[in-house]
Amino acid sequence: MRRILLNSLFAILAISIYSIANAADPLPSWSEGPAKKAILEFVAAVTDKSSKDYVEPSRRIATFDNDGTLWVEYPMYTQVLFAFDRVKKLAPQHPEWKTKQPFKALLAGDMKTVGASGMKGVIEIIMASHAGMSGDEFEQEVTQWLATARHPHLNCLYKECIYQPQLELLAYLRANEFKTFIVSGGGIQFMRPMTMKAYGIPPWQVVGSSIVSEFKTREPKVDFIDDKAGKPVGIYEHIGLRPILAFGNADANMQMIEYTRAGAGRRLGLFVHHTDADREYAYDRKSHVGTLDKVLDQADANGWIIVDMKKDWKSVFPDR
Amino acid sequence: MRRILLNSLFAILAISIYSIANAADPLPSWSEGPAKKAILEFVAAVTDKSSKDYVEPSRRIATFDNDGTLWVEYPMYTQVLFAFDRVKKLAPQHPEWKTKQPFKALLAGDMKTVGASGMKGVIEIIMASHAGMSGDEFEQEVTQWLATARHPHLNCLYKECIYQPQLELLAYLRANEFKTFIVSGGGIQFMRPMTMKAYGIPPWQVVGSSIVSEFKTREPKVDFIDDKAGKPVGIYEHIGLRPILAFGNADANMQMIEYTRAGAGRRLGLFVHHTDADREYAYDRKSHVGTLDKVLDQADANGWIIVDMKKDWKSVFPDR
């Protein structure tokens, strides 16, 4: 009993010190500007019991895309690079890959031919590298790979190439009794081993694409693609409540934002615009990953908030 | 700032008063006996940092079946009765049902013929009554029905025919930093409208069977059956962590309990045995719902805990 009380008092002290330190600014890595203003005003409105926009805590759902929204996706999605590395590791057990495309090209380092195999080729590689083992074994493979795999240009392990302003936003939302979810086109079992540590998001608050799992073994068959129009379906099936805030960075996230904003009451939809070639990358309409084209044309008319990385983020990555 | 501090202090006071009041017994509706002892010892072991059985809070996952484990399932699953009522309501828009089985029999009150149509017939009725509308519309239909639908024999609305000892167990587990989940063969969207209020379990911690949802409309097509061997798959896909405690009441829950107990470290698997014809029902090996047969044969050898409703529960339902 005394221990419970003491622990609670320590927790209060810790919260209080944190609150005082951050009272001036819950989002210190965000520059003053329309994006930060929109976020602060939205959170103030939905948490104020006297506001017409008030939302019960149990319905304060915020969903975030992962690739390009919470961590780096350029020049290639991290999961695809994991799949490439895994095919190389598994090659000795697959002599047939020496003559079969796109595996032959991948093993020879001929990325042009791999690229030319298109989405069909990439899916073949994903299936070959993600199936045929139990979920626990797959988790171990991912965890081992993430422990050492480094981004080719940025000075970080992939699992550390995450955006500091978004970490602050996630913490700020949770401090205001939001539940934070990842809703990503990426593989659910690929993301889960890192989301708790990196973002403070537990595995059951991660919605993603999946391959069919039987009782024990992952099968090389797509179960669900959590992208584009799949995202609202994933949200409905998995979370069971419509978000009031959603954050993406690509045209593929438009349906999630539309679904979010189509609900009654006040809603907020945001997109990261990668505009910062110095600190990260600059890409949008014609990019091969994270294409942001229709969103830029329709944002103003729809009231979507475009977060300009160069202007709106004082820092991009955590200090290391 | 002052408001945050004051709120925190009030929260501590409330917790402290609650703790003192319940210090003597966190499970007052459970009789002293082997089941209660097993639960208390298990929770003490996995929450004690000095114990070899200690489990990090983020991995304290407890899963509960719903029908017959958290609420009444006898003489018929609540969701099936909802489907029957809904077919009657929709009948004027479906003149073809006047001649088509099992609808014809259901509309004529001929439950013998409905029963003879077997699982195929019941699935036809579920599909006809659960599809063709948006998720929001379906939620409204369920909520309206639950507001007034009464159990035919017990003196309660269906949504109030929930077990008091299990409410105490859920609260006790959460007070010990467990995350509580429902993993049920029932429809996920049928359960979600009531789980938060009835059990304190938010919609994203409810795993169940589902029918295919496109962007807007529920389709009359089964997506996933979360029962028997489907339960471990549902847990793996949805929660992403293996439970350390699982609670069921039927042979259909065996795979969930086996999956739970197959993990490393200390685990607890429990089954409600419905033995109480006075306060609820007595049924097991030959029952048409919640068949409990193999479990009774194998429980001792496997270390599963059988909770005998009559002996182990001092009260069955909340005071109303």
Side-chain angles (χ1 to χ4, degrees), chain B residues 213-239:
Chain B
S213 314
E214 297 301 332
F215 199 160
K216 287 190 177 140
T217 308
R218 293 165 57 87
E219 303 286 321
K221 196 177 147 201
V222 171
D223 180 38
F224 178 64
I225 302 281
D226 188 50
D227 207 13
K228 301 178 185 169
K231 287 204 181 194
V233 175
I235 290 169
Y236 171 68
E237 291 292 348
H238 192 106
I239 306 177

Side-chain angles (χ1 to χ4, degrees), chain A residues 135-178:
Chain A
D136 290 350
E137 285 162 348
F138 184 71
E139 181 180 333
Q140 272 180 21
E141 288 290 332
V142 174
T143 304
Q144 277 175 22
W145 186 83
L146 284 173
T148 57
R150 291 191 79 81
H151 191 279
H153 311 128
L154 301 168
N155 180 29
C156 48
L157 295 171
Y158 283 110
K159 65 177 179 177
E160 294 168 347
C161 296
I162 56 183
Y163 303 128
Q164 174 63 23
Q166 300 290 57
L167 297 181
E168 293 167 8
L169 177 56
L170 289 168
Y172 173 58
L173 291 172
R174 289 193 290 254
N176 283 281
E177 295 183 80
F178 278 73

Side-chain angles (χ1 to χ4, degrees), chain B residues 271-285:
Chain B
F271 292 88
V272 178
H273 187 187
H274 293 262
T275 52
D276 197 327
D278 293 329
R279 297 183 299 176
E280 200 229 17
Y281 294 100
Y283 60 95
D284 46 35
R285 293 180 187 273

Side-chain angles (χ1 to χ4, degrees), chain A residues 110-270:
Chain A
D110 172 10
M111 298 313 291
K112 205 174 150 190
T113 303
V114 173
S117 74
M119 190 47 86
K120 186 174 166 289
V122 170
I123 285 179
E124 273 189 74
I125 288 168
I126 298 265
M127 287 302 138
S129 56
H130 283 55
M133 70 201 103
S134 74
D136 290 350
E137 285 162 348
F138 184 71
E139 181 180 333
Q140 272 180 21
E141 288 290 332
V142 174
T143 304
Q144 277 175 22
W145 186 83
L146 284 173
T148 57
R150 291 191 79 81
H151 191 279
H153 311 128
L154 301 168
N155 180 29
C156 48
L157 295 171
Y158 283 110
K159 65 177 179 177
E160 294 168 347
C161 296
I162 56 183
Y163 303 128
Q164 174 63 23
Q166 300 290 57
L167 297 181
E168 293 167 8
L169 177 56
L170 289 168
Y172 173 58
L173 291 172
R174 289 193 290 254
N176 283 281
E177 295 183 80
F178 278 73
K179 295 285 175 184
T180 53
F181 288 82
I182 291 173
V183 178
S184 164
I188 194 164
Q189 303 300 347
F190 179 76
M191 294 182 283
R192 282 173 164 173
M194 60 81 75
T195 58
M196 187 68 195
K197 214 168 192 176
Y199 312 127
I201 296 180
W204 55 90
Q205 286 169 218
V206 178
V207 188
S209 300
S210 54
I211 66 174
V212 172
S213 313
E214 298 300 331
F215 199 157
K216 285 189 178 141
T217 307
R218 293 165 57 87
E219 303 286 320
K221 195 177 145 199
V222 170
D223 180 38
F224 177 62
I225 301 281
D226 188 50
D227 207 11
K228 299 177 186 169
K231 286 203 181 195
V233 175
I235 290 169
Y236 171 68
E237 291 292 349
H238 192 106
I239 306 177
L241 287 175
R242 198 187 288 259
I244 62 169
L245 181 154
F247 211 137
N249 75 299
D251 285 0
N253 307 132
M254 277 172 66
Q255 285 92 338
M256 171 170 81
I257 307 286
E258 284 167 355
Y259 177 72
T260 298
R261 289 181 37 99
R266 190 159 173 171
R267 311 270 163 158
L268 189 63
L270 309 104

